[in-house]
Amino acid sequence: QVRPVESGGGLVQAGESLRLSCVASGRTFGTITMGWFRQAPGKEREFVAAVAWSGIETDYADSVKGRFTISRDKAKNAVDLIMNNLKAEDTATYYCASGGDIMSRSTHHYYYWGQGTQVTVSS
């Protein structure tokens, strides 16, 4: 398994874009699913997007579909989350996680989690 490390969070205005990066520490992601989740204060951690080990199959939450794009770069051993047209509702701590062989939206199916990176969108 890999141990993700997120980066790229920051403070932006509504309508702007931001790119988050998730890099494995010391080893390749291999044949596992990678996912992005987010959590706002007082709320449960929610699914944002996931990508299969191949980098082809993807899944997005309805709230971000059409605005966010998840991609996998095996050469860099990284998984990015490109967030476009950000809204105030997107404000949260974003977490990268590595899962198993099957795509999932459940936090229970992910084994390694990053520390999180803060994304704040002003309106």
Side-chain angles (χ1 to χ4, degrees):
Q1 284 285 351
V2 299
R3 299 185 183 279
V5 177
E6 308 98 333
S7 64
L11 174 63
V12 298
Q13 296 183 36
E16 295 183 343
S17 300
L18 199 62
R19 182 170 186 152
L20 306 182
S21 181
C22 173
V23 181
S25 179
R27 59 184 297 180
T28 182
F29 285 129
T31 57
I32 58 175
T33 297
M34 297 298 299
W36 282 96
F37 293 77
R38 67 186 182 186
Q39 186 169 26
K43 297 183 178 180
E44 295 184 352
R45 189 166 299 184
E46 65 174 349
F47 170 80
V48 176
V51 60
W53 70 269
S54 65
I56 299 175
E57 184 181 7
T58 58
D59 187 27
Y60 299 92
D62 291 340
S63 60
V64 305
K65 194 171 186 178
R67 296 189 299 121
F68 291 10
T69 301
I70 187 170
S71 64
R72 197 165 193 166
D73 189 338
K74 294 184 178 181
K76 297 181 179 180
N77 201 28
V79 175
D80 294 341
L81 182 68
I82 304 171
M83 305 182 292
N84 295 317
N85 191 26
L86 284 163
K87 304 176 180 180
E89 306 89 85
D90 296 318
T91 296
T93 299
Y94 284 71
Y95 299 89
C96 177
S98 62
D101 296 334
I102 304 175
M103 296 278 288
S104 176
R105 294 186 174 189
S106 174
T107 58
H108 298 296
H109 295 157
Y110 293 83
Y111 313 118
Y112 290 89
W113 294 80
Q115 297 172 288
T117 184
Q118 180 66 37
V119 173
T120 302
V121 184
S122 62
S123 61

